[in-house]
Amino acid sequence: MIPLTNLPNTVSIREVGPRDGLQNEDRMLTTAQKIALINALNDTGIKQIEVGSFVHPRFVPQMADTAEVFAQIERRPGVIYSAIAPNLKGAQRAIAARADAVQVFLSTSESHNQSNVKMSIADSLSAAADIAHTLKESAISFEAVLSVVFGCPFEGDVPLERVLLIIERLLAMGAEQITLGDTTGMAHPRLVQAIILGIRERFPQVPLRLHPHSARGAGLANVLAALEVGVDRFDASLGGIGGCPFAPGAPGNICTEDAVHMLHEMGIDTGLNLPKLVECARRVEELLGHEVPGQVIKAGICGHIPNGEPRPWRAAAKALYAS
Ligand code: ZN
């Protein structure tokens, strides 16, 4: 087999910066700033934006205004504006806010689930069943996000069998997508492939999305590993901001513009306008008042002058490859 030839031609990126990114930042953006950021993201061609979460504001005060954000963002046709919710009450608030998709979130380890959503996995699964039932009546997509699939900061390795049991229950409830979260950046490429292949062996048709974190620098390597086993959906965050406030050492979603840059250079289409994404990442940096971990924002787009136009030598090089 020739390496790196059997990869998906297109990849879908869900921007999770407004939720996973901002919830881990000390500086709280105003509602108007969040709305302006999401409206700017609309111009990048992004098709999925995680707008916020419906959790108790005492636990995640950064997300307390998610309903107001939903009410005031400009909604482009064909774009899915989603929310996450840990329980029925949160899902009902998401429905009232007219979220296009609701993701229930739970962990694959008891300790992280207790820390994150203050309940057992069994209770989270029964909440998921209630959410699924309610969403069916509202014709809103029901999806699931699993945390710490590739390792738990409290318990270490997570048995694949437990991940499979949870996925089995969620699929039986009608989950349209399962997102595998590397919440604290404990994954590595071989583990990513082993878990994805293990899940596919049991559930060949399951629509999987990877939610990588770059806490230990393996984020984009894990994306490549997942691409090799056919995953074509990824979560990423502008500038690489984000993390999990309830997991020690969790900072850093993979950076959207870095991931898109790598994919585009590899000839994999994302449908996204990279210079516009970089503009959005700069806006995030300004709003947060600190440098973001992303690399492209510092190094620039390969072969492009700062306004995003390709350099002539770049076009010539591409033509050479094509011939
Ligand atoms: Zn995350």
Side-chain angles (χ1 to χ4, degrees), residues 253-320:
N253 287 96
I254 58 160
C255 167
T256 309
E257 64 275 14
D258 289 3
V260 168
H261 189 281
M262 181 183 87
L263 293 165
H264 285 188
E265 288 293 305
M266 292 170 73
I268 297 172
D269 189 25
T270 64
L272 295 174
N273 180 317
L274 185 53
K276 287 221 161 91
L277 276 178
V278 174
E279 269 173 43
C280 285
R282 285 197 206 293
R283 183 192 282 252
V284 167
E285 213 167 45
E286 273 167 32
L287 290 170
L288 294 175
H290 65 74
E291 210 175 84
V292 295
Q295 301 292 306
V296 169
I297 196 172
K298 301 178 191 86
I301 299 171
C302 210
H304 283 63
I305 51 179
N307 71 1
E309 294 295 317
R311 284 188 200 278
W313 66 263
R314 191 77 190 160
K318 284 230 156 129
L320 202 64

Side-chain angles (χ1 to χ4, degrees), residues 16 19-21 23 145 181-184 211-213 235 242-244 250 252-253:
V16 298
R19 198 280 302 171
D20 204 358
Q23 79 172 18
V145 182
D182 181 23
T183 315
T184 62
H211 177 101
H213 276 250
D235 284 353
C244 174
N253 287 96

Side-chain angles (χ1 to χ4, degrees), residues 146-232:
L146 301 182
S147 301
V148 302
V149 173
F150 304 93
C152 167
F154 309 115
E155 296 181 21
D157 291 346
V158 172
L160 177 62
E161 202 47 45
R162 192 190 302 151
V163 177
L164 294 174
L165 279 172
I166 294 171
I167 291 178
E168 185 174 32
R169 294 277 305 275
L170 291 165
L171 290 176
M173 293 170 201
E176 291 171 45
Q177 176 174 264
I178 306 286
T179 296
L180 306 175
D182 181 23
T183 315
T184 62
M186 291 171 75
H188 58 78
R190 281 187 161 157
L191 183 63
V192 166
Q193 294 197 342
I195 289 183
I196 289 167
L197 292 172
I199 294 170
R200 281 264 164 74
E201 196 179 312
R202 187 80 62 91
F203 310 107
Q205 304 304 328
V206 60
L208 291 178
R209 174 180 288 275
L210 187 67
H211 177 101
H213 276 250
S214 256
R216 292 173 179 82
L220 289 185
N222 292 331
V223 169
L224 182 60
L227 286 169
E228 277 199 311
V229 290
V231 171
D232 59 0

